[in-house]
Amino acid sequence: MSDMRERVVVTEVGMRDGLQSIARTMPTEFKRRWIDAAYAAGVRHMEVASFVPAKLLPQMADADEVIAHALGYEDLIVTALVPNLKGAQRALEAGVHRIVAPISVSTAHSLANVRKTPAEMIDAFAAMREAIDSAASHASDRAARRVQLIAGLSTVFGCTLQGAVPYEDIAAIARAAVHAGADVIALGDTTGEATPRQVGEIIELVRGVAGEKLRSLHFHDTRGLGLANTLIALQHGIREFDASLAGLGGCPHAPGATGNVNTEDLVFMLDSMGYETGIDLTHLIASRDVLADALPGEPLYGYLARAGVPKQFERSPAIEPSSPSCSQVLQ
Amino acid sequence: MSDMRERVVVTEVGMRDGLQSIARTMPTEFKRRWIDAAYAAGVRHMEVASFVPAKLLPQMADADEVIAHALGYEDLIVTALVPNLKGAQRALEAGVHRIVAPISVSTAHSLANVRKTPAEMIDAFAAMREAIDSAASHASDRAARRVQLIAGLSTVFGCTLQGAVPYEDIAAIARAAVHAGADVIALGDTTGEATPRQVGEIIELVRGVAGEKLRSLHFHDTRGLGLANTLIALQHGIREFDASLAGLGGCPHAPGATGNVNTEDLVFMLDSMGYETGIDLTHLIASRDVLADALPGEPLYGYLARAGVPKQFERSPAIEPSSPSCSQVLQ
């Protein structure tokens, strides 16, 4: 049966984006438990750390240990976020499979975030590409596995500093990232301002310059449109999405610091539409216990964990449209 | 500019569905204030009361007074929900413009809710039709205005008692409602189990038997899919939606008693996509104050009220697809 389903990759980014967005630091032991629990639920793509100075982000000081633990699972694809060449070198040494470099399409945001213009970040990105290729050419067994370099275009759907980012700028930076050696282009709604029609437009815009390299979307759920935006992205052919368990990072008291799309709610929607994620909802919901243990008092978000999987819910057998019949009732 | 936009009707149902779903009774004076505030925000369709025995639903005991107040606004379309002929007669006397009768497609739910089978409810619905037509034929000025009769098909997307409702049953009951004289068929996700692919399928199924009479959708946001489901319904040509201010009726401590789609979040999504609702978001958000005053301590939901309208947000100029350009950035 599962052969008939179209696969959608859900990357758990809570260990990186979620934890980075809250003030507290999760002890390493709990990060290991979280990875174990996510793996047990069927998650096979995780962004587990970022390589940034520990004094800026103490939450990520244990990146090497966390990555080493994740790499203990042979079929787990392990991603790290890096803002610069030094971070990329550390990520390569740690042995990750994927490196995401954030490249803001907003000059104001880019300067505030990494003190580089977007063009300067593209130069840094090209240097990362060289470092990766050089590591591959001097390869031991593990390093020989070609590491994927992902251009994580940020503030694509709006910037709280600059406001609207002109479509020309988005297209120009996506094109530059491809030329600088991106294996994958990912689009990030950093500030939670994406809206459905705009999502479709920008996907087509970027696809026009990046083609099949445009693969992944990263939504925050700041205005409740995370799943609606995901739906439009699915309709436009996107099959990879980032999400955070329990929407970690959301904070009702700090506007602007809201979490990613909730992993459980996303998987439920994908299941209901007949996509195969490989993730078991019941185990996924149970894995929230790790967060409750590790971060007592931290708000855990999510509709599905509260309401439960509908009694009669069965995943639909395939995503191909078909004429409705009794046996295809989905809920 | 507004001439270019396609109109979407948003019916505020919080005064009926929202208030009916919480244990407390809102004093009549606050209901009047809510209607005033919603009207001031541009809402022109409201479902303000139901005609049910006051001992069953004391929240609705002031239906006549509330309706009289709403009818003070000449261009406000006033709807009441009625479960039986007696309720329809009371609604006619009160002078409403639209009467919604709930007809469950699930036999188990129908028996539990109104102690009638769906077929028996169709008979009651036909009697309401006759009462409306008879009132029109003996018309004074006001009564002469033909009252619309809406078949509000409930548990269409799943029933917590019966589970999945066979598509054949849904189609049969929709057809029967049309034959019994429905002016409009509305589909209700009573239990918050609707999922996007299923929504598209069921709309096409019901349109097959009800044609253009299928006009309105009523979602609850139990599993976070309310806006994603709305998006699919829009794509399938639906242009009328029910919603509740602040998602009133949702209660995290009572699974199963969750609120309607949030009016503010819905209007924001529609605005962002270039639809015209006639509703001003800033005034709409401000109108939540009435709920805070009237129901202190009651949780008020909604993303937009928390996060705010994005600084650079401008409604897109029209819904026709167009090639992306700088001036069309939406956020």
Side-chain angles (χ1 to χ4, degrees):
Chain A
M1 192 60 115
S2 73
D3 293 343
M4 300 174 58
R5 296 172 182 278
E6 192 175 352
R7 193 163 180 84
V8 172
V9 170
V10 174
T11 299
E12 175 62 51
V13 299
M15 300 99 176
R16 201 279 302 167
D17 202 342
L19 292 180
Q20 195 168 303
S21 305
I22 63 174
R24 298 150 74 180
T25 297
M26 183 184 276
T28 310
E29 181 51 32
F30 282 108
K31 293 187 183 179
R32 289 198 200 99
R33 275 184 55 194
W34 186 356
I35 291 168
D36 295 344
Y39 185 88
V43 179
R44 290 295 179 271
H45 291 73
M46 301 185 206
E47 187 172 310
V48 298
S50 61
F51 284 102
V52 288
K55 66 179 174 193
L56 287 182
L57 266 179
Q59 298 97 315
M60 297 292 129
D62 57 1
D64 281 309
E65 282 171 85
V66 172
I67 289 168
H69 182 75
L71 291 172
Y73 292 104
E74 276 206 355
D75 59 344
L76 177 60
I77 307 297
V78 179
T79 303
L81 181 134
V82 311
N84 52 35
L85 179 59
K86 187 176 172 198
Q89 284 162 336
R90 289 176 62 197
L92 282 170
E93 283 159 24
V96 301
H97 306 113
R98 293 184 172 183
I99 290 174
V100 182
I103 303 174
S104 186
V105 298
S106 150
T107 302
H109 178 257
S110 190
L111 287 170
N113 198 38
V114 292
R115 284 187 283 184
K116 289 188 176 81
T117 64
E120 288 165 347
M121 263 310 284
I122 292 288
D123 291 342
F125 189 77
M128 294 181 207
R129 171 82 272 163
E130 280 182 35
I132 290 170
D133 293 344
S134 164
S137 69
H138 303 88
S140 67
D141 278 352
R142 171 172 261 177
R145 239 180 350 206
R146 183 181 154 90
V147 172
Q148 278 201 317
L149 181 59
I150 302 172
L153 303 191
S154 50
T155 66
V156 171
F157 303 94
C159 169
T160 46
L161 298 171
Q162 179 178 327
V165 178
Y167 277 20
E168 284 91 340
D169 293 1
I170 299 171
I173 293 165
R175 190 183 291 110
V178 170
H179 290 162
D183 296 307
V184 171
I185 303 286
L187 304 180
D189 180 24
T190 315
T191 56
E193 298 185 40
T195 57
R197 183 181 166 205
Q198 174 206 35
V199 167
E201 287 183 3
I202 291 182
I203 287 172
E204 294 309 322
L205 172 81
V206 175
R207 184 169 283 137
V209 298
E212 290 308 303
K213 290 196 170 177
L214 172 60
R215 285 236 298 272
S216 179
L217 265 286
H218 174 102
F219 291 119
H220 284 250
D221 205 17
T222 313
R223 289 175 176 83
L225 291 177
L227 292 179
N229 290 332
T230 300
L231 198 59
I232 293 291
L234 284 164
Q235 293 178 341
H236 283 264
I238 301 298
R239 294 292 180 270
E240 292 193 25
F241 298 94
D242 290 350
S244 278
L245 186 68
L248 193 67
C251 174
H253 308 298
T258 56
N260 298 101
V261 164
N262 179 292
T263 310
E264 311 91 276
D265 294 347
L266 172 62
V267 170
F268 174 65
M269 184 178 84
L270 293 169
D271 267 8
S272 81
M273 298 176 73
Y275 293 104
E276 177 64 50
T277 64
I279 298 171
D280 178 81
L281 267 177
T282 306
H283 282 85
L284 187 66
I285 292 171
S287 73
R288 292 164 55 107
D289 290 350
V290 177
L291 300 190
D293 290 351
L295 304 166
E298 192 70 30
L300 302 186
Y301 301 97
Y303 288 84
L304 198 74
R306 195 179 82 199
V309 179
K311 259 187 226 171
Q312 301 296 323
F313 177 74
E314 288 177 17
R315 297 189 297 185
S316 55
I319 68 146
E320 287 74 36
S322 53
S323 58
S325 80
C326 184
S327 64
Q328 287 162 344
V329 174
L330 309 183
Q331 35 61 45
Chain B
M1 190 61 115
S2 73
D3 292 344
M4 301 172 58
R5 297 173 183 278
E6 192 175 352
R7 191 161 181 84
V8 171
V9 170
V10 174
T11 300
E12 175 62 52
V13 299
M15 300 99 176
R16 201 279 302 167
D17 202 343
L19 291 179
Q20 194 169 303
S21 304
I22 63 174
R24 299 150 74 181
T25 298
M26 182 183 276
T28 309
E29 182 50 33
F30 283 107
K31 293 187 183 180
R32 287 197 200 99
R33 276 185 54 196
W34 187 356
I35 290 167
D36 294 344
Y39 185 88
V43 179
R44 292 294 180 271
H45 290 73
M46 302 185 203
E47 187 172 311
V48 297
S50 60
F51 284 101
V52 289
K55 66 179 177 193
L56 288 182
L57 266 179
Q59 299 96 317
M60 296 293 130
D62 57 2
D64 281 307
E65 281 171 86
V66 172
I67 289 168
H69 183 74
L71 291 173
Y73 292 104
E74 275 206 357
D75 60 344
L76 177 59
I77 307 297
V78 179
T79 303
L81 182 134
V82 310
N84 51 37
L85 178 59
K86 188 177 172 194
Q89 285 162 336
R90 291 176 61 197
L92 283 170
E93 284 159 24
V96 300
H97 306 112
R98 293 184 172 183
I99 290 174
V100 183
I103 303 174
S104 185
V105 298
S106 150
T107 302
H109 177 259
S110 190
L111 288 170
N113 199 37
V114 292
R115 284 186 283 183
K116 289 190 176 81
T117 64
E120 287 165 348
M121 264 308 284
I122 292 288
D123 291 341
F125 189 78
M128 294 180 207
R129 174 81 273 165
E130 280 182 36
I132 290 171
D133 293 345
S134 165
S137 70
H138 301 86
S140 68
D141 278 352
R142 170 172 260 176
R145 233 177 2 205
R146 185 182 153 91
V147 173
Q148 277 200 318
L149 181 60
I150 302 172
L153 303 191
S154 51
T155 67
V156 170
F157 302 93
C159 169
T160 45
L161 299 170
Q162 179 179 326
V165 177
Y167 277 19
E168 285 92 338
D169 293 2
I170 299 170
I173 293 165
R175 189 182 293 111
V178 170
H179 290 164
D183 295 306
V184 171
I185 302 286
L187 304 180
D189 180 24
T190 315
T191 57
E193 299 184 39
T195 58
R197 183 182 167 207
Q198 175 208 32
V199 167
E201 289 182 2
I202 291 181
I203 287 172
E204 295 309 322
L205 173 81
V206 174
R207 185 170 282 139
V209 299
E212 291 310 302
K213 290 197 170 179
L214 171 60
R215 284 235 300 271
S216 178
L217 265 285
H218 174 100
F219 291 119
H220 284 250
D221 205 17
T222 314
R223 289 175 177 85
L225 292 176
L227 292 179
N229 290 333
T230 300
L231 198 59
I232 293 290
L234 284 165
Q235 293 177 341
H236 283 265
I238 301 297
R239 293 293 180 269
E240 292 194 25
F241 298 94
D242 290 351
S244 278
L245 186 69
L248 192 69
C251 174
H253 307 298
T258 56
N260 298 101
V261 164
N262 179 293
T263 310
E264 311 90 276
D265 294 346
L266 172 62
V267 169
F268 175 65
M269 183 177 86
L270 293 169
D271 267 8
S272 82
M273 298 177 74
Y275 293 104
E276 177 63 50
T277 64
I279 300 172
D280 177 81
L281 267 178
T282 306
H283 282 84
L284 188 65
I285 291 171
S287 73
R288 292 164 57 106
D289 290 351
V290 178
L291 300 190
D293 290 350
L295 304 165
E298 193 71 31
L300 302 186
Y301 301 97
Y303 288 85
L304 198 74
R306 198 179 79 199
V309 179
K311 259 187 227 169
Q312 300 296 323
F313 178 76
E314 288 177 16
R315 297 188 298 184
S316 56
I319 68 147
E320 286 74 34
S322 52
S323 59
S325 81
C326 186
S327 64
Q328 287 163 344
V329 172
L330 308 183
Q331 35 61 46

